[in-house]
Amino acid sequence: MAQDLYQAPDYFHLDDLLTDEHKLIRDAAREWIKREVTPIIEDAAQKAKFPKQIINGLAKIGAFGSFIPEEYGGSGLDQISYGIIMQEIERGDSGVRSTASVQSSLVMYPIWKFGSEEQKQKYLPKLASGELMGCFGLTEPNHGSNPSGMETKFKDMGDHYLLSGAKLWISNSPFADIAVVWAKNEKGRIHGLIVERGMKGFSTPETHHKWSLRASATGELIFDNVKIPKENLLLGKSGLGAPLMCLDSARYGIAWGAIGAAMDCYSTALRYAKERTQFDKPIAAFQLQQKKLAEMITEITKAQFLTWRLGVLRDEGKATSAQISMAKRNNVEMALNIARESRQILGAMGITGDYSIMRHMMNLESVITYEGTHDIHLLITGMDITGISAFI
Ligand code: TGC
Ligand code: FAD
């Protein structure tokens, strides 16, 4: 890939609303992405291989459980800090951000919120340091947008549980050491269980031939009567609300992350438009190109403020699930539109791996689908404002 000349846009001086600590965290993450991720990510995506060598660095910039208390190995940071870290990582690649959001919001968060003290002590410090990597199994072959219909189930056998079923489209599954899996008990109530690699009957085949999120490893989770120790049940909360609480945290991080991808595309397109000459002028001199760039910075700025405000509300414990849905939906669509427009500004060069834009664009096709599709988030907003569910 060409040299990383990223210039982060901050048109309305959002920086003035951040604390010195936020800026330090942001600068450390930004510098690490530039040094360790940009030089290798295009090759990893082309080869469809998750770059495991970055796990240690991700842990060091606080990408694993930044909001988890320090007593459990986390960084004890606020929600704005978590968002900023996700934004900087996704500026590099959505697949790398996926690994970080799954580890933080979908594995560490449920263990922290719903786990016993023993489970927290056993898993959280190792997950924070990257010694253990985790994945989150909710989606099934017959149940994507409607996880309440899940068929994966577990039976109480007296001294252990027996887990059977399958999950698919699971980020990190091919290399994860543990999986937080959602399954129904004999009464049909949803619970979370911690499944460990090596348990008999548990396998994690990789899903190949993706055109999107290629630097992230995606796979299945297959449970063929897996014997689960009783102490691996997450007892703190049951019902669909438990995994949905985890999704709130991850969707919040994605709302920030998508802005990072958009900022990277905009920064590249602006620079290219000023350098590339056609008809004896830089293409940035043409009104059509200026319209594209002006609309991009406007949309990025609106998303930055929506998301910063959401972070403040989350830090105050006041953000609603519907507000998170609105931000995830708006920002991912905004980023995808900007990636497509930026790609056009680069002409033919835009389709090459010399620039990050096409990779962002392909990645965002997954981001607009996972963690609740674009349609589902619209219906969550619809339900919130009308009080009527379109799902039943
Ligand atoms: P519904 O009847 O509305 O709700 C069931 C129960 O859950 C409660 N609840 C919530 N609780 C906490 N947080 C939320 N956000 C909640 N939303 C709802 C609700 O109050 C109720 O509680 P109770 O006590 O009455 O039982 O459920 P529904 O079956 O009608 O479904 C609602 C719907 C469609 C919005 C939900 O199923 C949904 O969000 N579907 C989308 C599925 C999804 O997002 N899957 C994501 C899988 S993980 C993933 O994609 C990871 S990608 C990671 C990466 O690589 O970055
Ligand atoms: P479906 O639910 O079959 O939806 C298909 C289409 O129908 C969509 O356009 C949808 O919007 C629309 N639709 C569905 N219901 C309605 C409705 N009521 N009204 C209107 N339209 C509707 N899952 C995990 O559990 N863990 C992971 O780590 C994970 N990682 C992923 C990584 C990648 C790369 C991808 C692509 C997916 C991942 N997922 C993961 C799965 C993801 O959450 C699901 O793909 C997503 O929830 C949608 O489910 P589905 O693909 O089965 O689509």
Side-chain angles (χ1 to χ4, degrees), residues 97-98 102 139 145 147-148 171 241 244 247-248 251 321 370-372:
R97 197 270 307 132
S98 260
V102 169
T139 305
S145 297
S148 63
S171 301
L244 288 176
L247 293 182
D248 273 358
R251 290 165 177 174
S321 300
Y370 67 34
E371 299 273 4

Side-chain angles (χ1 to χ4, degrees), residues 333-348:
E333 184 181 45
M334 173 280 296
L336 194 47
N337 288 339
I338 286 180
R340 287 172 181 154
E341 294 288 2
S342 300
R343 215 287 305 145
Q344 291 197 49
I345 290 178
L346 267 70

Side-chain angles (χ1 to χ4, degrees), residues 145-146 148 240 376 379-380 383 386-392:
S145 297
N146 62 336
S148 63
L240 188 62
I376 292 297
L379 294 176
I380 291 173
M383 178 162 62
T386 64
I388 305 165
S389 171
F391 302 115
I392 41 176

